[in-house]
Amino acid sequence: MSEHGALYVYALLPDREGAADGVTGLDGRPVRLLSVPGTGVAALVHDAEAAPYQGDDEQVRRWVGEQSRAVTAVWERTGSLLPTTFNVLVAGGGPDADGTGEERTAEQRLTDWVTEQAPRITEQLGSLAGRCELRVEVTLDRTAVSAPDTTGADTGVGNSRSAGMRRLLAKQQENNSRQRAEQLADSLHAGLRRRLLSVAEELRDRGRAHRAPQETDVLSAALLVRGDDIDAVGTVLSELQAEQPAVRIRFLGPWPPYSFAEIPEGHGSPAARQGR
Amino acid sequence: MTADQGPLRPTRDPRVTLDDLVEVLLNKGAVLHLDLIVAVADIPLIGVNIRAALAGMETMLEFGMMRNWDEATRAWAERSARRRGIDLREGESAVCRMSGGHLLTGGVYTGWRPGTVHLTDRRLVVQRDEPREILWQAELGDVRAVRLEPERTVGGEERLRLRVALADGTEELLSAQEPEKLHARLTEACAGRLDAAFPFTPAVEEERLLEGHLWFHEPRRGGPLWRGGQGRLIGSALVWKSPVDSRPALVVRTADITAVEWSAERSPTGDGGVFTLRTADGGEVRLAAGDPETWMRKLDVSRPSLPHPLPLKTG
């Protein structure tokens, strides 16, 4: 690659010869390991132009699918890696961090950085070895939860009401059922969280779940789980489904530990602080 | 459904997981050092999708989250923030505009989409600035009611949102840098056209007997962890929620509490702030507070004296 080229970085991983053999990344480009001598760490990269990947939503989805496939394939061979986000590009030739004005290639810059960060990267790789990420999303289908509220709103009197009033009452009823679902969701969340925490090593709340309009969020979390505990999480979820038929469960994975890959903070980089 | 009660199996089927992967890969993963990033047209990218970066920076600027960013990045974001406006129709005039966003619901993605809220004498518009796109808009003639609503953000802060009810019975939620101002201007602009009241009343909450900072000793696989959060004692339950969780991690029905015990052990509040709730199913919940006596007293009072089930709350 020319000195003005860049490296598209997929992951940092233990340096295992052959781990990237035959794997392709974005747009079918072959990926390779950039070994960082003396650290036991390698970066999974492809040679790229110094420009980010941009495109419409469909295009980005396709690239993300390709990135995820490449990272997952290599992760399954090495048992541990730190995946990077989409569009992590290391450019060559930029100003030297030391201010000496000397230009470095992308490989040199990435190698220098990995060398400097190696203790933290190695520690993080060790703590994630043999672990995977699972995604659990639970919602509550309100139509399957609440008995309809029959406080005169939909009795015979309703027929004589104006369209506006009927709409208003329907809204009110929807609101009541939403409120009952909120309370149920709170207690289901507390119980499910407790059971998941007894199995998973870490749980990160992810805020809002994907859900249909008639559903209420219960829990949306990324779990860090040992490979042989995946079934234990599955058992917690199937028990929940049996206890509360109105819950809808999405259970995704196992993935490389995307949500647990941040490199512990070193000397105050704004990017690291921002990522918290 | 079969009668099989075996463990649920996770799926990797890309048809199911791709949306989640898109979200995770645009937002998660290791972030490399700032020195390494590529600068494109003086926009530094820290491993984020360029469109996400563009949309997100303005929000970060608005909420003062970019204090730590270098001057160049901030200057760029501020320049871009100034470059905004909407295409007015003939005879339409702008009333006010401010940073804000629209809550997208109902589709594959649910979430806040940041941009600029524009109020004109005809429309309410939320527009993404870069690339420029109208995220949501409504004719003022279709606005039936507007209301300010408090919402707790992920960080635990309470922020006012603007709820807008439309003639077709739908509702939308907007965020705005100055929600009160937007509410006032919008109400003025719709003068005489709005319904007297919002079509439905806000949810009625149970009376709060006690509310305040409370530590919860959350049981975990690797051993329990003291977590700080907000405790709330209402008539029927004790609820504890951390500002970083989306829902409470603890809901104990007061009817299930069999004992409230003092314990002299160390906690984040120092010595002796710890008390334990014992529950009917044999469980115990460890909590700590700066004023444990108040919590213990109120908890004791709130317990129904007779072992009868609590009446179900209706409406």
Side-chain angles (χ1 to χ4, degrees):
Chain A
M1 210 60 203
S2 84
E3 65 189 57
H4 296 298
L7 294 171
Y8 187 103
V9 185
Y10 293 79
L12 304 170
L13 64 161
D15 191 4
R16 301 268 164 73
E17 208 187 321
D21 289 359
V23 177
T24 58
L26 273 59
D27 293 331
R29 285 165 180 259
V31 295
R32 64 185 172 93
L33 289 189
L34 173 68
S35 301
V36 180
T39 63
V41 176
L44 183 67
V45 299
H46 81 237
D47 298 306
E49 296 296 314
Y53 280 78
Q54 296 179 73
D56 58 30
D57 286 4
E58 265 323 297
Q59 178 69 68
V60 171
R61 286 163 61 85
R62 193 167 61 75
W63 282 326
V64 163
E66 289 169 346
Q67 175 158 345
S68 165
R69 266 198 303 283
V71 170
T72 304
V74 175
W75 171 63
E76 286 177 341
R77 295 177 189 174
T78 60
S80 185
L81 56 68
L82 305 179
T84 53
T85 59
F86 183 64
N87 257 342
V88 168
L89 283 147
V90 175
D96 193 321
D98 307 330
T100 56
E102 199 180 311
E103 296 216 334
R104 294 175 295 170
T105 64
E107 286 206 7
Q108 282 166 342
R109 297 183 75 204
L110 184 54
T111 302
D112 289 352
W113 182 78
V114 171
T115 306
E116 180 195 313
Q117 303 286 325
R120 277 189 285 274
I121 295 171
T122 307
E123 187 191 338
Q124 184 73 336
L125 283 170
S127 71
L128 293 175
R131 273 82 168 169
C132 63
E133 175 167 339
L134 295 173
R135 173 68 62 86
V136 173
E137 285 189 3
V138 177
T139 60
L140 197 55
D141 185 346
R142 289 193 298 278
T143 58
V145 176
S146 38
D149 187 355
T150 50
T151 48
D154 51 2
T155 57
V157 200
N159 298 332
S160 63
R161 290 198 165 121
S162 72
M165 184 57 104
R166 280 201 301 274
R167 202 162 55 221
L168 192 151
L169 288 170
K171 253 303 174 231
Q172 182 95 52
Q173 214 173 70
E174 161 70 9
N175 208 36
N176 289 344
S177 106
R178 224 177 259 269
Q179 203 184 330
R180 278 194 300 274
E182 283 294 318
Q183 286 171 356
L184 179 55
D186 276 356
S187 55
L188 286 174
H189 173 270
L192 178 58
R193 183 182 162 90
R194 184 174 49 77
R195 284 193 270 179
L196 290 175
L197 279 174
S198 70
V199 181
E201 296 194 328
E202 263 197 78
L203 181 153
R204 298 260 165 101
D205 197 299
R206 299 195 49 85
R208 212 171 261 277
H210 297 276
R211 56 172 163 75
Q214 80 282 6
E215 292 176 357
T216 294
D217 290 329
V218 173
L219 175 143
S220 172
L223 306 180
L224 183 69
V225 171
R226 284 172 197 270
D228 40 14
D229 285 332
I230 296 175
D231 274 355
V233 175
T235 301
V236 167
L237 295 177
S238 62
E239 284 168 3
L240 174 71
Q241 184 71 77
E243 287 160 22
Q244 180 49 265
V247 300
R248 304 287 173 260
I249 297 173
R250 294 181 82 220
F251 186 25
L252 313 180
W255 290 338
Y258 290 112
S259 304
F260 305 91
E262 64 287 314
I263 299 156
E265 209 168 322
H267 45 265
S269 113
R273 279 200 298 274
Q274 201 69 42
R276 292 289 123 158
Chain B
M1 283 257 112
T2 62
D4 177 32
Q5 281 300 306
L8 228 56
R9 302 249 174 225
T11 178
R12 260 187 191 175
D13 183 343
R15 285 167 302 182
V16 179
T17 61
L18 192 53
D19 285 331
D20 301 82
L21 284 169
V22 168
E23 196 244 316
V24 93
L25 272 164
L26 296 188
N27 294 310
K28 291 288 173 184
V31 176
L32 304 192
H33 198 285
L34 206 59
D35 291 350
L36 292 170
I37 59 177
V38 170
V40 183
D42 78 353
I43 308 162
L45 294 170
I46 345 162
V48 286
N49 172 276
I50 185 162
R51 291 180 315 127
L54 290 168
M57 272 190 200
E58 197 160 296
T59 315
M60 291 194 266
L61 200 64
E62 179 194 343
F63 296 127
M65 287 162 64
M66 285 177 64
R67 277 190 290 264
N68 296 327
W69 288 41
D70 62 83
E71 280 303 318
T73 313
R74 215 160 50 224
W76 174 81
E78 272 161 9
R79 271 202 311 283
S80 106
R82 260 182 265 126
R83 240 187 344 232
R84 50 190 199 189
I86 52 166
D87 300 322
L88 293 172
R89 297 171 188 163
E90 211 179 312
E92 182 176 25
S93 58
V95 175
C96 70
R97 69 173 189 209
M98 61 186 73
S99 296
H102 170 246
L103 183 66
L104 181 68
T105 56
V108 178
Y109 298 102
T110 293
W112 285 101
R113 298 195 298 171
T116 305
V117 182
H118 299 264
L119 177 65
T120 73
D121 57 353
R122 299 197 196 161
R123 290 179 292 163
L124 180 60
V125 183
V126 181
Q127 179 174 270
R128 181 175 61 203
D129 304 308
E130 196 122 15
R132 189 187 278 214
E133 185 193 337
I134 290 183
L135 299 173
W136 174 83
Q137 64 174 330
E139 302 293 325
L140 294 190
D142 291 336
V143 174
R144 291 266 58 88
V146 288
R147 185 177 74 201
L148 287 170
E149 267 183 22
E151 186 187 76
R152 272 190 207 271
T153 62
V154 176
E157 285 171 83
E158 199 155 88
R159 245 190 214 125
L160 283 176
R161 307 294 193 199
L162 190 73
R163 188 172 286 282
V164 180
L166 300 174
D168 62 3
T170 59
E171 284 172 27
E172 304 288 338
L173 204 57
L174 306 186
S175 66
Q177 194 171 17
E178 302 168 84
E180 288 100 342
K181 176 179 164 192
L182 183 62
H183 179 257
R185 294 290 168 81
L186 180 58
T187 312
E188 274 167 39
C190 295
R193 287 200 296 256
L194 295 183
D195 290 347
F198 209 78
F200 62 86
T201 48
V204 184
E205 290 192 20
E206 270 191 276
E207 193 198 350
R208 292 171 187 206
L209 301 175
L210 187 59
E211 186 166 10
H213 192 266
L214 198 62
W215 295 87
F216 171 39
H217 208 212
E218 184 169 61
R220 285 166 178 244
R221 184 188 168 124
L225 185 72
W226 281 110
R227 300 180 76 208
Q230 189 78 357
R232 205 170 78 228
L233 180 63
I234 50 178
S236 58
L238 173 71
V239 177
W240 180 92
K241 185 181 170 301
S242 154
V244 300
D245 298 344
S246 55
R247 286 193 181 274
L250 182 69
V251 178
V252 186
R253 280 163 41 102
T254 45
D256 292 337
I257 299 174
T258 54
V260 183
E261 290 166 9
W262 174 273
S263 50
E265 59 185 288
R266 283 199 71 80
S267 76
T269 64
D271 279 325
V274 182
F275 57 101
T276 303
L277 310 182
R278 301 204 180 279
T279 54
D281 61 1
E284 60 171 54
V285 176
R286 208 162 291 223
L287 300 163
D291 55 342
E293 299 85 359
T294 315
W295 283 97
M296 292 173 71
R297 199 171 56 244
K298 292 271 185 186
L299 275 163
D300 213 37
V301 173
S302 71
R303 276 194 295 144
S305 47
L306 295 169
H308 61 73
L310 282 181
L312 279 177
K313 198 178 151 50
T314 52

